[in-house]
Amino acid sequence: MLYFISILLLFGLSSTAYAYIDPAGISSFLSLIVSSVIGFFYVFRFKVQTYLEKINFIFKDLKTLSNYLSQKKEIVFFVENKSYVPYLKSVIDKISAESTCVDIITENDVNIFDNQNLIRVYKFNLNFTKILAFNLVRCNLLVTTSPDLGTSEIKKNKNCKCYYYIFHSLVSTPIIYKDKSFKNFDLIACATSYQKKELEKEETTFQNISKKTFLEAGYPFFEVMNLDAHKSFEKNSILIAPSWNAKIENYYSKFFSEIVKKFLDNDIKVIFRPHPQYKKKNLEDLINFEKKFISNKNFIFDHSSNFDILSKVEFLLTDWSGISFEFSYINKRPVIFLEVPRKVHNEKNFLNNDLKDGVVEFSKRNEIGVVCDDTLDVKGVINELRNKEGKYLNSIENFFKD
């Protein structure tokens, strides 16, 4: 590098015998060279560290995988990431309380099951090895809340006798879930009666598959929530918790920027909670979205997987997310729905008007809340929800009775 710089300087000095050389110009040039070299080595060092970290993860995961494969297993839970813990925890706790050993495949940052009797946890740093553990499973029963068995990276194999699905949402199944998301499960624990009816109807369209069992088993998520907590919440606070929409670029910036600004301008505390899938697939937009509001003291960006926040805020605003049903059930208060393009993962069913308009996230939203667009009058909506809370309470209670 010094040799290169000296050649440049000699070339510059010899080009004109009597030229004036500006010391400041040389200094700036040298500073540019030095900063470029430093920047190069910084990026190089970062890439090397990342590479070495991945190598370390591979060896750790292979050791975990070897230990996992060597153990005899009866019941295995696949907890894909920590955001799914609340939907499976109560089931895991009940099984282990019956003196039955439980094995758990999960990510490295899931710590809630550590050091518990009769629970063996296999934590993986890399998604590849975590999925490999799922696909190589040998057990009598595998329980998960991850759909798309056999139609995604998670595969079914003959060494597992029964694949058991537990729902992590109260939404209907025909539109929001992909086609054949549940086809390859052997036993499905439906959270609601309408989910059970929808899947039983879908089952009649499949050919050459073993008949599966559908249970109306309730919603384990509610068992880990304090259902009396709705009696105390922070006044003038709102949780904005949208879903994700794979078909719309920069979905949050496009549809939620204006609505967040409106609530902040009206002195409402905003807790914004992104969907876990949005973090994976739209991280750049998520970062840019956060930057717009992070300096406002009334704005909190919630990256946690803790659902206690549902009972600590006065209001919830969402789009087509199933969190609307969870909030209304826990708090017995109405929801604000933002009118945005529908979340559709099953185009075939969406073309069926009876299915499209009959699903609960469409047909019931006016009964358990108010639907608005980004031109909403914040104070007007808040006053309506407060003044008509009794009206919505009856609708909410009737919805969950059904």
Side-chain angles (χ1 to χ4, degrees):
M1 183 59 70
L2 289 175
Y3 173 77
F4 173 69
I5 294 171
S6 65
I7 292 294
L8 289 173
L9 289 175
L10 286 171
F11 178 78
L13 288 169
S14 61
S15 61
T16 305
Y18 301 101
Y20 170 71
I21 300 174
D22 184 1
I26 294 176
S27 175
S28 298
F29 178 71
L30 289 174
S31 296
L32 180 63
I33 294 292
V34 171
S35 63
S36 298
V37 172
I38 293 173
F40 169 79
F41 280 110
Y42 177 81
V43 172
F44 178 75
R45 186 182 69 173
F46 176 77
K47 288 187 175 182
V48 169
Q49 286 176 337
T50 303
Y51 176 77
L52 292 175
E53 187 178 63
K54 285 186 177 181
I55 294 294
N56 185 40
F57 285 163
I58 289 172
F59 281 107
K60 283 184 176 180
D61 281 5
L62 289 176
K63 183 178 179 181
T64 302
L65 184 64
S66 175
N67 182 32
Y68 161 80
L69 293 174
S70 68
Q71 301 291 334
K72 183 178 179 181
K73 296 172 284 293
E74 295 292 330
I75 302 174
V76 175
F77 277 77
F78 179 68
V79 185
E80 189 172 355
N81 56 58
K82 62 183 178 182
S83 65
Y84 289 137
V85 168
Y87 305 98
L88 296 173
K89 185 180 183 302
S90 65
V91 183
I92 294 171
D93 290 344
K94 286 177 181 177
I95 293 175
S96 61
E98 295 293 326
S99 300
T100 302
C101 184
V102 174
D103 293 274
I104 299 174
I105 305 168
T106 191
E107 290 188 341
N108 194 47
D109 60 350
V110 176
N111 302 315
I112 195 167
F113 302 110
D114 290 356
N115 304 316
Q116 294 191 36
N117 292 332
L118 298 174
I119 296 180
R120 296 183 298 205
V121 186
Y122 303 94
K123 300 181 184 182
F124 294 94
N125 298 281
L126 303 174
N127 185 64
F128 171 78
T129 43
K130 179 185 68 179
I131 298 301
L132 186 60
F134 181 102
N135 293 337
L136 294 176
V137 68
R138 287 174 174 268
C139 63
N140 288 326
L141 177 68
L142 186 143
V143 185
T144 185
T145 187
S146 299
D148 305 317
L149 176 65
T151 60
S152 66
E153 60 187 356
I154 55 173
K155 306 299 181 185
K156 193 171 184 178
N157 81 68
K158 62 182 180 181
N159 296 312
C160 178
K161 295 180 181 178
C162 179
Y163 287 84
Y164 187 122
Y165 182 81
I166 295 176
F167 273 89
H168 62 263
S169 177
L170 296 174
V171 296
S172 293
T173 60
I175 305 298
I176 287 183
Y177 290 96
K178 295 177 184 177
D179 188 32
K180 301 177 182 176
S181 284
F182 309 101
K183 177 182 178 181
N184 295 312
F185 288 98
D186 302 298
L187 198 155
I188 299 178
C190 301
T192 68
S193 59
Y194 53 81
Q195 288 176 340
K196 184 172 182 285
K197 291 174 184 176
E198 290 161 355
L199 291 177
E200 285 175 339
K201 184 178 180 179
E202 182 188 49
E203 183 82 351
T204 63
T205 66
F206 297 143
Q207 297 179 351
N208 301 321
I209 64 166
S210 300
K211 185 174 176 62
K212 63 174 62 69
T213 302
F214 299 98
L215 305 175
E216 190 177 333
Y219 199 39
F221 174 80
F222 289 146
E223 296 179 22
V224 300
M225 295 296 296
N226 181 359
L227 299 185
D228 293 324
H230 67 277
K231 295 176 181 178
S232 177
F233 56 83
E234 184 178 358
K235 199 85 169 173
N236 294 319
S237 64
I238 187 167
L239 173 65
I240 298 182
S243 186
W244 63 291
N245 194 318
K247 298 180 180 178
I248 301 177
E249 188 176 354
N250 301 328
Y251 178 60
Y252 285 3
S253 291
K254 188 173 290 185
F255 290 103
F256 290 89
S257 294
E258 185 61 30
I259 208 77
V260 169
K261 183 177 183 300
K262 277 181 179 283
F263 279 98
L264 292 174
D265 288 346
N266 281 272
D267 295 321
I268 304 295
K269 181 179 179 179
V270 173
I271 297 95
F272 189 91
R273 175 171 237 179
H275 192 281
Q277 286 294 329
Y278 202 81
K279 294 180 188 178
K280 288 183 179 180
K281 300 178 182 296
N282 303 90
L283 184 59
E284 184 178 353
D285 181 61
L286 195 61
I287 292 171
N288 292 333
F289 183 88
E290 183 177 4
K291 285 179 181 177
K292 294 178 186 178
F293 306 106
I294 199 64
S295 61
N296 191 309
K297 62 182 178 61
N298 272 339
F299 180 83
I300 297 173
F301 206 85
D302 181 14
H303 288 285
S304 75
S305 57
N306 189 328
F307 283 89
D308 289 346
I309 188 65
L310 279 174
S311 58
K312 294 179 180 178
V313 293
E314 185 174 7
F315 303 106
L316 168 75
L317 183 144
T318 188
D319 45 12
W320 299 97
S321 171
I323 199 172
S324 58
F325 301 116
E326 295 163 357
F327 177 88
S328 60
Y329 181 83
I330 291 168
N331 300 298
K332 303 298 186 290
R333 293 199 304 278
V335 176
I336 304 171
F337 292 100
L338 185 64
E339 189 62 49
V340 295
R342 288 178 68 170
K343 179 180 175 180
V344 179
H345 286 152
N346 191 325
E347 292 289 351
K348 181 182 71 175
N349 286 343
F350 193 65
L351 295 174
N352 183 323
N353 287 331
D354 289 338
L355 282 176
K356 180 177 72 173
D357 298 337
V359 294
V360 294
E361 57 269 17
F362 179 81
S363 63
K364 299 293 184 181
R365 61 194 333 221
N366 282 302
E367 296 180 21
I368 64 170
V370 58
V371 182
C372 305
D373 58 25
D374 61 7
T375 64
L376 88 166
D377 171 18
V378 169
K379 290 183 178 178
V381 169
I382 286 176
N383 287 335
E384 178 183 347
L385 295 186
R386 285 173 176 165
N387 294 335
K388 297 181 179 179
E389 195 170 292
K391 165 199 163 185
Y392 289 108
L393 175 60
N394 292 333
S395 297
I396 290 168
E397 289 180 339
N398 288 334
F399 171 77
F400 285 103
K401 282 179 184 176
D402 297 337

